[in-house]
Amino acid sequence: MDKTRGTDKGMDRRTFIKVAGMTGLGLTATTFGVPTLLRAKPKTIKIGSIQPATGPLAVIGQAQRKGNQLAVDLINSRGGIRSLGGAKLELLLGDSESKPEVGRSEADRLIREGAAVLVGPFQSGVAMAIATLAEQRGVPFVMDVAALDAITQKGYKHVFRVFITARGLVGGAIKYYKMVTESTGVIPKRAVVTNTADPFGKGMSGGFLKAMEKSGLPVKIVERIQYPLGIQDLSAEVAKIKAAKPDILFPVSRIGDSVILVRELYKQKVPLMGIFGPGSPGWYEPEFVKDVGKLALYVMTNVPWINPLSPVYQKANAAWQKKYGGYLDTNSAYAYTGILVVADALERAGSTDTDKILAALKQTNFKDHPVVGGPVRFDEKGDNTGAMTALVQVQPDPDPLKRVKVVLPKEFAQSDKIVFPAPQLWER
């Protein structure tokens, strides 16, 4: 009797079943003598990153991308997502061009290309457009930077925010402004508010104006001046500021108009006790500090900020310096944090199934991040309850990269001195 009948290559039925079963478990054999283990390559998990990489916010958007990528590199260098067999993260890149409709179409493209989660996008208007899409497509969306409260007030189930809300920003601004005036004994009487006329600029400054009215602080807002995002000439607006004779300026801006604004204030010799940003970028980025030199000194900004005393920040900053030069600023640090939060959720989910990722995100309690604030935890709207701001001031330092210093709160402070009032721009 032919003992090989019914099997391949002389393998008996028992051996065949054994090998077939092993194959089904991810094992195969080069010979049927001693099976050889071939480990299946872990699946790559794609994360869609939509940032304003071109257009008026390109400097910030490109840095945001780098922050996303730096965190992806960190996770992959540590072995990937262990609960998924060491699956590596892959960043898919989208460019919003600072336009909501483009941001939405880019997010849609990344979803079609396999993104399991979306991160980004810096601008609230773009975030709103992507949030709507994410909800429709059923894809988790973790906003690393975008503050407009309304984004998370629509009952979305797929949207989470690592960044602070505009309401939180405003609260920090009022708190720190009061602390500065009380501690220095310098009380401005008149103020002007300026803002970019995009959704964030209008929402942030509008909320700040309302909060100032309710605060009882002895400063009168005598003028509010708005201008388009991406404006190239602010001479007319600065003339209005000068005519209003403010003691202090509260700008809600971006880096491009901040540079133009402070140079025009210098050119027109507008006397001010100081510039106090209630909560916007533009006044602390390395490019701003480097570009305007002494004109940047003594600007104060209330901002979600890096925690320079944190070992997590120090390691991330060292990696940033090695790879990109400069230092890991707050926008990039939040982009970095956004990816860490996603990776933490994937690790606990042990799956790329949307429902399991969402369930893990809702249970987030992430402490090992590089920014000021408590653990990242999401409330029922998807907002981070641990988010908070710091007050930073640009102060003299031989190294331009070390000029932006935390002055409040004390637990995170790098400098115990707040310079207010500031020397006039043309007297430095």
Side-chain angles (χ1 to χ4, degrees), residues 56 69 90 173 180 187 209 212:
Q69 187 61 55
E90 178 186 352
V180 169
I187 312 297
L209 286 166
M212 286 296 281

Side-chain angles (χ1 to χ4, degrees), residues 52-64 255 285 287-288 329 332:
T54 61
L57 301 179
V59 170
I60 293 174
Q62 291 171 16
Q64 292 269 108
I255 186 169
E285 287 86 354
E287 294 80 7
F288 171 78
D329 70 9
S332 305

Side-chain angles (χ1 to χ4, degrees), residues 306-318:
I306 58 174
N307 179 2
L309 308 179
S310 157
V312 175
Y313 173 76
Q314 292 167 3
K315 290 180 181 177
N317 188 44

Side-chain angles (χ1 to χ4, degrees), residues 156-356:
Y156 292 151
K157 304 299 182 185
H158 296 74
V159 180
F160 301 84
R161 174 174 14 218
V162 172
F163 205 61
I164 198 168
T165 62
R167 183 187 297 270
L169 275 172
V170 167
I174 300 297
K175 177 179 68 176
Y176 292 133
Y177 177 76
K178 185 177 180 182
M179 292 172 72
V180 169
T181 54
E182 288 181 348
S183 64
T184 61
V186 179
I187 312 297
K189 300 297 184 185
R190 298 169 62 85
V192 167
V193 172
T194 64
N195 66 268
T196 53
D198 59 324
F200 170 74
K202 292 190 287 188
M204 179 64 203
S205 63
F208 178 67
L209 286 166
K210 291 179 182 177
M212 286 296 281
E213 288 178 4
K214 295 179 180 178
S215 70
L217 291 167
V219 57
K220 182 179 181 181
I221 309 297
V222 296
E223 186 77 78
R224 180 190 186 186
I225 299 171
Q226 303 186 72
Y227 50 82
L229 179 66
I231 194 169
Q232 297 299 311
D233 181 0
L234 284 168
S235 56
E237 287 77 9
V238 170
K240 289 182 182 177
I241 294 172
K242 188 172 184 178
K245 298 181 178 179
D247 298 315
I248 192 167
L249 183 66
F250 295 122
V252 176
S253 56
R254 298 292 197 275
I255 186 169
D257 48 293
S258 295
V259 171
I260 297 170
L261 180 57
V262 76
R263 284 177 173 162
E264 196 63 35
L265 290 168
Y266 167 80
K267 182 180 177 182
Q268 297 191 29
K269 290 193 174 182
V270 179
L272 292 168
M273 289 181 176
I275 298 173
F276 187 104
S280 75
W283 302 96
Y284 47 75
E285 287 86 354
E287 294 80 7
F288 171 78
V289 174
K290 181 180 178 182
D291 286 355
V292 304
K294 292 182 179 179
L295 300 185
L297 292 176
Y298 315 116
V299 170
M300 291 178 282
T301 309
N302 165 63
V303 60
W305 194 245
I306 58 174
N307 179 2
L309 308 179
S310 157
V312 175
Y313 173 76
Q314 292 167 3
K315 290 180 181 177
N317 188 44
W320 178 280
Q321 290 176 331
K322 182 178 180 181
K323 186 167 185 176
Y324 303 121
Y327 75 95
L328 182 67
D329 70 9
T330 190
N331 300 321
S332 305
Y334 268 93
Y336 183 85
T337 302
I339 292 292
L340 295 185
V341 167
V342 170
D344 171 70
L346 287 169
E347 194 68 78
R348 288 181 289 106
S351 171
T352 55
D353 177 79
T354 295
D355 289 340
K356 292 183 179 179

Side-chain angles (χ1 to χ4, degrees), residues 47-54 65 92-115 117-119 121 126 129-130 133:
I47 299 175
S49 164
I50 306 98
Q51 306 288 0
T54 61
R65 272 188 177 180
L92 302 181
L93 301 179
D95 178 9
S96 72
E97 303 176 14
S98 293
K99 301 172 184 175
E101 68 278 11
V102 175
R104 178 187 168 97
S105 65
E106 284 288 89
D108 203 17
R109 175 178 64 79
L110 299 186
I111 291 171
R112 292 196 304 273
E113 292 178 5
V117 183
L118 300 174
V119 297
V126 178
I130 295 176
L133 176 76

